Amino acid sequence: QKEVEQNSGPLSVPEGAIASLNCTYSDRGSQSFFWYRQYSGKSPELIMFIYSNGDKEDGRFTAQLNKASQYVSLLIRDSQPSDSATYLCAVIYNQGGKLIFGQGTELSVKP
Amino acid sequence: SAVISQKPSRDICQRGTSLTIQCQVDSQVTMMFWYRQQPGQSLTLIATANQGSEATYESGFVIDKFPISRPNLTFSTLTVSNMSPEDSSIYLCSVGGFSSEQFFGPGTRLTVL
């Protein structure tokens, strides 16, 4: 069974610090990797998408993918209280585009 | 990214009844998906809605309980049938494709009494 694992948290960081979120996946056939942010009571919002090994940066967000070790991480630099949310890691396997989600990591950024 | 709307945004229903949730996209899309998010949980795929053919259901989900329609490339419906309190969840549609970004609608929050 294909699995995506995340630490549930909560992860607490002070404002201005770097938040590091990690995700591992079980199937080496995984094609694409996503990070979604979900505020309480809202639907998931796509913040990063990566499919090649290495780093991808977008503003304060950096996604890191290591296919050999089967993990993908998300770094949030200069964390802000508005970054407080649940971060969902999701993976697409080569089976029709369906997303498999991890359980999510709750991030709390303290002022 | 596509603009996705869902109706209703929330509903409170009695057990044994059915609710149909609509998902509308502002552009034609090949793939549409329906997810469920139970309280305090992550998202679980219910089915892939295929235009012009039967939906493809994931393990644990059946057509009799969650019938899906996909009459065209911009619209889909999900019906939650014969509801019980265990069906209380947020139901989300998403659009996207193979190995590409997927975007979610705002969700339908369902409470079954």
Side-chain angles (χ1 to χ4, degrees):
Chain A
Q1 178 160 344
K2 298 174 175 53
E3 294 181 346
V4 179
E5 300 285 342
Q6 296 180 252
N7 291 328
S8 61
L11 173 66
S12 182
V13 300
E15 183 175 357
I18 296 175
S20 178
L21 305 162
N22 298 309
C23 172
T24 60
Y25 57 94
S26 64
D27 195 314
R28 289 188 178 276
S30 304
Q31 300 286 312
S32 305
F33 308 85
F34 303 82
W35 283 99
Y36 287 86
R37 176 175 64 195
Q38 187 174 29
Y39 293 110
S40 180
K42 301 295 185 182
S43 67
E45 172 193 8
L46 180 66
I47 55 172
M48 289 294 284
F49 160 48
I50 186 169
Y51 59 88
S52 299
N53 267 333
D55 295 359
K56 179 180 180 182
E57 186 173 318
D58 184 0
R60 296 185 296 112
F61 299 98
T62 299
Q64 299 174 319
L65 175 60
N66 185 320
K67 289 188 175 182
S69 300
Q70 295 177 237
Y71 81 79
V72 56
S73 63
L74 180 70
L75 301 178
I76 306 175
R77 292 181 299 281
D78 188 24
S79 296
Q80 301 296 309
S82 58
D83 294 325
S84 298
T86 296
Y87 289 80
L88 298 164
C89 172
V91 175
I92 283 184
Y93 298 91
N94 190 22
Q95 291 186 16
K98 65 181 182 181
L99 287 170
I100 308 296
F101 281 86
Q103 285 299 105
T105 298
E106 182 183 350
L107 172 66
S108 177
V109 181
K110 303 295 187 184
Chain B
S1 64
V3 176
I4 307 167
S5 60
Q6 285 185 236
K7 290 181 181 179
S9 59
R10 59 178 63 228
D11 207 341
I12 300 173
C13 300
Q14 298 296 319
R15 70 169 67 213
T17 63
S18 298
L19 176 71
T20 295
I21 301 168
Q22 299 179 4
C23 179
Q24 179 75 53
V25 188
D26 70 340
S27 58
Q28 293 186 340
V29 294
T30 303
M31 306 189 75
M32 295 180 75
F33 305 89
W34 287 98
Y35 289 82
R36 180 176 74 181
Q37 188 172 31
Q38 295 177 300
Q41 302 295 312
S42 189
L43 282 77
T44 301
L45 180 65
I46 297 172
T48 303
N50 305 307
Q51 196 270 332
S53 64
E54 293 278 341
T56 303
Y57 289 84
E58 297 300 305
S59 176
F61 298 96
V62 296
I63 188 171
D64 289 346
K65 176 67 175 177
F66 297 101
I68 287 172
S69 77
R70 180 84 194 272
N72 56 53
L73 292 174
T74 63
F75 187 78
S76 178
T77 67
L78 169 76
T79 298
V80 187
S81 302
N82 189 24
M83 288 184 285
S84 67
E86 292 71 32
D87 294 319
S88 297
S89 296
I90 300 173
Y91 292 86
L92 300 122
C93 68
S94 77
V95 301
F98 292 94
S99 299
S100 67
E101 299 97 319
Q102 287 194 20
F103 300 96
F104 285 85
T108 295
R109 184 180 295 271
L110 171 62
T111 302
V112 184
L113 302 177

